[in-house]
Amino acid sequence: MLAVLRAQNLLKSMKDSVLDEVYTNNLPAEEVDDSTRSVALITDVRSDLALPGNDDFHAQNKEVEVQIYYKLDGDDPDEFETKLKHLFIQNGWSMIDNRGHTVDPGTQQLTATFYFVFFEIEN
């Protein structure tokens, strides 16, 4: 399964999420300037080969970027982000980077960016 779809399914299953929608690959045009909703965008970063042997590979490390755009005047995202990190870790992902919070210059929305990797053994 594509890593972005695996991550999307995971985020959509999250209980008590502040997210109104979870997208993969790109945001629809109507979401780009909408600051009334909290949305996540999941994109592929890379897929590295792992477990080499017999002139082949037998696993992959699949990395995704999770960008979150919080609605204006939303609640403090700290509790949500802690739950998000636990959700990924408890489902076999590793968090490899957290770029912290920034403010989108166009919409003034608070944003957060995380990088997760999933180790998948090939059949």
Side-chain angles (χ1 to χ4, degrees):
M1 173 182 277
L2 287 174
V4 293
L5 297 178
R6 184 184 305 273
Q8 182 185 42
N9 290 339
L10 193 57
L11 277 178
K12 285 186 171 187
S13 75
M14 188 176 189
K15 292 179 175 27
D16 302 323
S17 176
V18 301
L19 298 174
D20 294 301
E21 190 58 67
V22 180
Y23 296 102
T24 59
N25 302 319
N26 59 45
L27 290 175
E30 64 271 10
E31 289 284 9
V32 172
D33 293 323
D34 187 352
S35 60
T36 65
R37 294 166 33 96
S38 294
V39 299
L41 174 63
I42 304 168
T43 54
D44 273 315
V45 175
R46 69 170 167 255
S47 184
D48 295 328
L49 305 181
L51 295 181
N54 294 331
D55 294 326
D56 205 352
F57 69 95
H58 302 283
Q60 295 185 63
N61 287 306
K62 297 181 175 183
E63 184 178 345
V64 297
E65 177 186 70
V66 178
Q67 294 176 292
I68 302 171
Y69 300 85
Y70 294 103
K71 67 181 175 182
L72 292 178
D73 302 323
D75 293 334
D76 182 337
D78 189 57
E79 184 178 331
F80 165 74
E81 290 175 5
T82 299
K83 288 180 182 178
L84 177 139
K85 294 169 194 173
H86 281 296
L87 180 69
F88 273 85
I89 299 301
Q90 292 168 358
N91 283 278
W93 294 77
S94 298
M95 190 171 96
I96 57 172
D97 200 3
N98 175 355
R99 297 287 170 94
H101 295 97
T102 59
V103 175
D104 182 279
T107 64
Q108 300 303 304
Q109 287 175 274
L110 183 67
T111 67
T113 304
F114 304 95
Y115 291 84
F116 295 98
V117 67
F118 187 80
F119 180 75
E120 182 173 58
I121 297 177
E122 303 295 318
N123 293 326

